[in-house]
Structure formats: C-alpha cells, structure tokens
C-alpha cells in the first residue's frame, strides 16, 4: 500500500478500468468502500482497452490526487 499523505476528505480518487472481465464490479466495490470510509472524496473513472499502448494515466494527470489502477483479471 502506498503511504497516505494526509486525510482523504475533499481529495479526488481516479480509477482506471482495464475492461477485463469483472473489473467494473470490483472497482465499484472499492469505490463504495472508500466512499463509506471517506464520504468527502470525489471520484473519476476512465476506461482503457487492455491492449492499448496509450498511457491512460495521462487523462487523469492533474485531475486526481490518488489513483487506483485495475491490473489483471
């Protein structure tokens, strides 16, 4: 786990959906857990084709404070 740099209230969390089977329910579950524990967070999700070479994290650069990246199946 990455070190936390202060409270999450008011912070923005980015999620990268790699479009693999079951990733949407998994990320939704993680997001709901985070919202329950930290109700003041904002979230944003981007989807990327797992075969794409495009660095999708660039789409969230400067828009989120923390990032959750789905990796694997």
């Amino acid at each position: 786990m990455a070190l936390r740099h202060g409270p999450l209230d008011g912070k923005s969390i980015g999620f990268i959906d790699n479009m693999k089977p079951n990733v949407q329910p998994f990320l939704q579950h993680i997001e709901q857990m985070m919202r329950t524990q930290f109700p003041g967070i904002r979230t944003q999700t981007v989807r990327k084709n797992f075969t794409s070479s495009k660095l999708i994290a660039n789409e969230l650069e400067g828009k989120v404070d923390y990032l959750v990246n789905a990796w694997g199946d």
Side-chain angles (χ1 to χ4, degrees), residues 14 29 33 42 47 68:
H29 178 72
M33 285 176 44
R42 297 179 319 274
R47 298 186 81 196
V68 176

Side-chain angles (χ1 to χ4, degrees), residues 2 4-5 7 15 18 26-27 31 34 39 47 51 64 67 73:
R4 186 174 305 154
H5 300 284
F15 294 93
N18 64 359
F26 174 73
L27 287 179
E31 180 179 352
M34 291 181 77
R47 298 186 81 196
T51 61
V64 298
L67 184 62
D73 291 325

Side-chain angles (χ1 to χ4, degrees), residues 4 8 13-15 27-41 43 66 68:
R4 186 174 305 154
L8 291 181
I13 313 298
F15 294 93
L27 287 179
Q28 288 170 350
H29 178 72
I30 297 298
E31 180 179 352
Q32 184 58 44
M33 285 176 44
M34 291 181 77
R35 285 183 179 279
T36 298
Q37 189 169 356
F38 309 104
I41 65 170
T43 62
Y66 299 97
V68 176

Side-chain angles (χ1 to χ4, degrees), residues 17-26 47 50 70 72-73:
D17 173 342
N18 64 359
M19 298 176 67
K20 290 195 175 182
N22 297 314
V23 73
Q24 283 187 321
F26 174 73
R47 298 186 81 196
F50 61 89
D73 291 325

